[in-house]
Amino acid sequence: KEKIEFTTEQQALMRVITDAYNKHQIPQDVTKKLLQDQYSTEENFLLLTEMATSQVQVLVEFTKNIPGFLSLDREDQIALLKGSAVEAMFLRSAQALNKKMPIGHTEVLEERIHKSGISEEFIKPMFNFYKSIGELHMVLEEQALLTTITILTPDRPYVKDQPAVERLQENVLDLLRKMCVLHHPQEPQYFARLLGRLTELRTLSHYHAEMLASWKVNNHKFTPLLCEIWDVQ
Ligand SMILES: Cc1ccccc1NC(=O)[C@H](C1CCCCC1)n1c(-c2ccc(Cl)cc2)nc2cc(F)c(F)cc21
């Protein structure tokens, strides 16, 4: 049985990232809204654009707490945010669906998302991703670290100083590897499976603009922030 030791730096890094992740939850819990009422496709589209807009704001605040992020080149910070915002939103959505809920609530939530106005072709890949995240039974720290690793992806478009981002990401990867051994001692491949989900996440995120454009509503109105970040309109 491998004894897991965390350095003082790693303990500090874990606390900072977990606290930031907890603090920057999405203000109004979309799952509560979706469980309360069945909305029209128009209302759902509006809800999605509101959620996605607030999620970008939350993401910006979260990244400010990632040690070293603010020391990166300013334009690289923007490139990392722009490159990870959609993935972070799908990760957050997956975690929302897989949260422990009273009996029957998850089924209602799934049904409402199926009927929300999203076009059929995207339902399957999206729910496949949500299920594959759910099967991992990630603890909160792993969710926070996985989101951080997604943000600190060096090969995003327009990143100039990739090695600087790699150095930050490596620290978080080291920490996540140890957390996986600590929380899933029976599954030596757990860390690799976790990172494999990031590939699935990137593939799903390629469709986001199409998913929005094909939403069953007459006019697709976006906020200025979403136009910036989500490559829509
Ligand atoms: C949960 C969150 C947090 C932060 C930001 C965004 C969101 N996401 C949303 O608000 C939308 C809602 C929106 C309202 C209609 C139903 C889906 N949403 C999506 C989604 C579907 C398709 C696309 Cl293109 C994007 C997202 N998957 C979800 C899974 C969930 F379990 C859930 F509760 C909400 C989910």
Side-chain angles (χ1 to χ4, degrees):
K1 204 162 147 10
E2 188 183 344
K3 179 102 185 64
I4 299 297
E5 301 274 323
F6 292 98
T7 64
T8 29
E9 292 78 18
Q10 287 180 321
Q11 288 170 38
L13 182 61
M14 190 70 259
R15 200 178 349 274
V16 163
I17 287 177
T18 307
D19 292 349
Y21 189 74
N22 281 330
K23 205 163 58 173
H24 299 130
Q25 291 284 1
I26 298 295
Q28 76 275 16
D29 188 353
V30 64
T31 46
K32 238 179 241 110
K33 283 194 166 187
L34 289 171
L35 285 165
Q36 246 154 24
D37 299 305
Q38 168 81 41
Y39 296 103
S40 71
T41 55
E42 270 74 13
E43 287 163 331
N44 277 317
F45 188 78
L46 180 64
L47 181 55
L48 170 58
T49 54
E50 283 167 0
M51 287 306 302
T53 301
S54 75
Q55 192 264 344
V56 172
Q57 290 153 347
V58 159
L59 189 72
V60 170
E61 287 314 305
F62 176 69
T63 54
K64 285 178 181 168
N65 296 291
I66 300 172
F69 186 85
L70 293 177
S71 317
L72 292 171
D73 173 280
R74 179 77 47 184
E75 285 168 357
D76 284 356
Q77 292 177 31
I78 305 286
L80 293 178
L81 273 164
K82 189 165 166 34
S84 64
V86 173
E87 291 179 16
M89 186 280 306
F90 277 123
L91 212 40
R92 183 67 84 176
S93 298
Q95 284 147 7
L97 185 63
N98 292 302
K99 235 173 4 200
K100 194 92 195 72
M101 278 183 271
I103 309 279
H105 283 216
T106 304
E107 289 69 21
V108 170
L109 190 53
E110 286 185 0
E111 179 63 20
R112 298 229 158 121
I113 295 162
H114 271 259
K115 302 258 178 303
S116 59
I118 188 168
S119 69
E120 279 68 36
E121 64 190 293
F122 301 116
I123 294 279
K124 218 165 134 40
M126 190 176 77
F127 275 98
N128 286 348
F129 174 69
Y130 292 164
K131 289 275 172 290
S132 71
I133 288 289
E135 283 158 8
L136 290 168
H137 302 294
M138 273 190 267
V139 299
L140 186 99
E141 290 85 349
E142 290 164 342
Q143 291 179 28
L145 291 172
L146 198 66
T147 298
T148 309
I149 286 162
T150 304
I151 296 162
L152 298 177
T153 299
D155 64 341
R156 296 292 186 197
Y158 315 112
V159 171
K160 296 171 294 191
D161 187 356
Q162 290 200 5
V165 182
E166 261 154 36
R167 281 192 294 274
L168 295 185
Q169 192 190 47
E170 263 149 31
N171 291 336
V172 187
L173 281 164
D174 256 358
L175 181 50
L176 178 57
R177 190 178 41 73
K178 286 185 175 179
M179 290 301 277
C180 290
V181 174
L182 182 70
H183 289 286
H184 310 270
Q186 310 309 329
E187 292 180 75
Q189 292 316 317
Y190 184 85
F191 177 58
R193 282 175 63 203
L194 207 43
L195 296 187
R197 296 293 175 266
L198 294 184
T199 312
E200 233 184 295
L201 177 59
R202 200 178 281 207
T203 310
L204 178 66
S205 303
H206 281 317
Y207 302 125
H208 79 280
E210 239 184 293
M211 287 165 86
L212 291 161
S214 62
W215 206 277
K216 296 179 186 122
V217 288
N218 297 327
N219 76 318
H220 299 76
K221 193 176 165 314
F222 300 99
T223 60
L225 184 55
L226 277 193
C227 292
E228 258 306 295
I229 290 272
W230 272 42
D231 296 332
V232 286
Q233 193 119 5

